[in-house]
Amino acid sequence: MAEDRSSTPTVLAAPDEILTEGLPEGWGAGAAGRVAFTVAVLFSAFQLYTAAYGNLPSQVIRAMHVGFLLLLGFGLLANLRTRSTTGKVVLWAFGLLGFLTGVYNWVFYEAILRRTGFLTTSDLVVGAILIVLVFEAARRLMGPALAIISGLFLAYCFFGNYLPPPFIHRGYDLAQIIENFAYGTEGIYGTPIYVSAAYIFIFVVFAAFLERAGMIALFNDFALGLVGSWRGGPAQVCVLSSALMGTISGSGVANVVASGQFTIPLMKRFGFRSAFAGGVEATSSMGGQIMPPVMGAVAFIMAETLNVPYAEVVKAAIIPALLYFGTCFWMVYLEAGKARLKGMEKANLPNPWHAVRQHWPLVLPLAALVYLLFAGYTPIFAGTMGLALTVVLILGTPLAALIGPLAFRIVFWVALGLAAAAFMRYGVNILALVIGALVVACLTFKGGRETLLICRDSLAEGAKNALPVGIACAIVGIVIGTLTLTGIASTFIGFIISIGESSLFLSLLLTMLTCLVLGMGIPTIPNYIITSSLAGPALLELGVPLIVSHMFVFYFGIMADLTPPVALAAFAAAPMAKESGLKIGIQASKLAIAGFVVPFMAVYTPALMLQDAGPVAASFGYPVEVGYIVLKACLGIVLWGAAVTGFLVSPMAAWERVATLAAGLLLVLALPLTDEAGFLLTALLIGRHWSQARRLVAS
């Protein structure tokens, strides 16, 4: 059992300036640290209760969610980033004010509804305080870029009536602007914060519990045993373990930091270049956001925005996710071959199936989650039940250890499993009773009490991990509110449509560049929300299926974190790789070539995302079309990987690399005769290269 965690973990404030963005590990020293830790636990408890029972109005849940985010965020900034007593007091005061804005919305919920359009002075003051605090929290926790971009949108509401056409609007007074952003469902309390409160928070806590239960160790052992002996073993392990982590966690940059400490030094010791090792970690970790079943937060926002089941988003992501990670495996294989690196000694690696047999109970909550998502249950229900089953598993483990004979332990687990599964028939109350009984039982002995502390710490860590996502969702509501209030989105949409009338490709290219440029300064979530709000309707008007257009934006929002000059994931890997973040970003961009190509392919052949059928389906059936498109994509990836690395079976000449790149391009272009030309050129190039390599070996 884990070490005793009866005392709250502490970390002394770092010697940074108060304005430094982000947060270090821990909660802070002394009483202030314990208060922050308690706030985090209460935050998680509130969110889990509302998710399970949902007996509060949605607006109240959103307001309290933002209130808790501000209280915890400013409290941690005070504890971990501020040296002066005055600074600590000011930040804790900010946090308390932010929390009270949520309480105000709860206490006066019905009164505020009745006076919509006629807000009182106190309403306007509270709303103004909320807006200011959200901006300040975003600036301190997320960096200045997102706050500046959102600030420009807010300024447009105030001063857009002075601009020339087509940017002019009719003008809005202060009361209208505050009401729109601080009380309506199109501002701070809009769809993004609803998704953060209802879905994202639950899955972040779910991932925290699974990590505490040992899921990371299972993923690492399984990956080591399964692919460690392949050519380029350590890098292959990095790719597979990141893909597996992506099934439970949708955080990209955080995964780089968490797993890179282990994988990057291992790859370097094995012989990989520092930049390449960092690039593998950055690319594979960012892929976690597109790996079902638990994708990045954007996937939940997308489902809510498009009003489609989350399972539909997962379905659209399955093939692109497999192609993305398949590309990573292939690029590692080629790079290792080029450097003449082999795999790790199989005798020194763990047995992957032994790891599964040893930790198989950890797979059950994930399996239940997948079943519930695809059985048509809502993500909030599936996530809550998956989390509850994980808690049952964690709490039941020390009790099972007290039972001597194996047969009795089996009976215990079967009985516990049946009791937990009864929620499908009798609702969430039966599951709450089971967890309550396990908590009481664990209180009676030392090992059980230690397990309860693990659960407590998981609740706190989950709340802290949800901070960046929640704050981003809150401030991006300013952007959404501006677009809906002023109607400026229609101007941008009309511009994209006018370009697309002459060339859909140019419209896609403009959308891609918008994502990449925005991604230089803001995270994936606000990047997606802003760009999809502007470009999504335009691409739909140009005939692109709605979910494909949103996935297009989603993908390039992720690619922005890998693309120089500002590649957040690459720079996160830089300290561990001891290499320039720019060089790592260049390698990551090469490794993630599928992420740049697949979205364009999906627009022209939506069957790649299991969407609309094309001409091949009309003649041979939909499965044949999907298989054919996947085959083309795989061949294109094989060819581009060889062209980028300059290696296939043996080193390639410059002209071979150019020809290989051209062959891959022909395969993905959806034009007459390009497929035939691509297949022919591919066969000629690979056949010649293979025979030449054999002759070199023979000589």
Side-chain angles (χ1 to χ4, degrees), residues 395-410:
L395 294 177
T397 300
L399 294 172
L402 298 176
I403 302 172
L406 176 62
F408 289 164
R409 288 203 301 272
I410 292 174

Side-chain angles (χ1 to χ4, degrees), residues 447-474:
R449 289 191 292 271
E450 291 174 348
T451 303
L452 290 176
L453 294 177
I454 290 175
C455 292
R456 181 202 66 179
D457 291 352
S458 299
L459 288 172
E461 284 296 332
K464 186 178 180 182
N465 292 343
L467 261 179
V469 177
I471 292 296
C473 287

Side-chain angles (χ1 to χ4, degrees), residues 601-626:
M601 287 188 68
V603 168
Y604 291 100
T605 51
L608 189 62
M609 290 185 177
L610 301 179
Q611 300 301 305
D612 299 351
V616 176
S619 303
F620 303 100
Y622 190 66
V624 173
E625 178 174 33
V626 172

Side-chain angles (χ1 to χ4, degrees), residues 388-619:
L389 292 175
T390 306
V391 174
V392 168
L393 183 68
I394 293 173
L395 294 177
T397 300
L399 294 172
L402 298 176
I403 302 172
L406 176 62
F408 289 164
R409 288 203 301 272
I410 292 174
V411 170
F412 169 79
W413 281 117
V414 170
L416 188 60
L418 291 174
F423 78 88
M424 294 293 289
R425 177 179 291 273
Y426 301 108
V428 71
N429 284 335
I430 188 69
L431 202 50
L433 287 173
V434 171
I435 293 174
L438 289 172
V439 169
V440 171
C442 286
L443 285 170
T444 60
F445 64 102
K446 183 181 179 182
R449 289 191 292 271
E450 291 174 348
T451 303
L452 290 176
L453 294 177
I454 290 175
C455 292
R456 181 202 66 179
D457 291 352
S458 299
L459 288 172
E461 284 296 332
K464 186 178 180 182
N465 292 343
L467 261 179
V469 177
I471 292 296
C473 287
I475 195 167
V476 83
I478 300 292
V479 176
I480 301 301
T482 301
L483 296 178
T484 55
L485 182 66
T486 64
I488 185 61
S490 60
T491 302
F492 190 83
I493 291 168
F495 176 62
I496 293 179
I497 291 174
S498 65
I499 293 176
E501 287 174 350
S502 58
S503 172
L504 174 60
F505 179 76
L506 287 178
S507 290
L508 294 173
L509 197 62
L510 177 62
T511 304
M512 179 192 78
L513 292 174
T514 302
C515 289
L516 294 179
V517 171
L518 278 177
M520 290 182 184
I522 63 177
T524 307
I525 295 170
N527 189 347
Y528 162 77
I529 293 172
I530 294 170
T531 311
S532 64
S533 300
L534 295 171
L539 294 179
L540 177 65
E541 192 74 22
L542 294 171
V544 181
L546 192 59
I547 198 166
V548 173
S549 66
H550 280 252
M551 290 294 287
F552 184 92
V553 173
F554 180 21
Y555 263 65
F556 283 110
I558 294 172
M559 291 302 104
D561 283 339
L562 299 173
T563 308
V566 183
L568 294 180
F571 279 90
M576 293 166 283
K578 293 181 173 58
E579 182 58 274
S580 158
L582 184 61
K583 291 181 180 178
I584 292 175
I586 293 171
Q587 292 298 321
S589 299
K590 293 179 181 178
L591 285 159
I593 191 168
F596 290 95
V597 176
V598 167
F600 283 94
M601 287 188 68
V603 168
Y604 291 100
T605 51
L608 189 62
M609 290 185 177
L610 301 179
Q611 300 301 305
D612 299 351
V616 176
S619 303

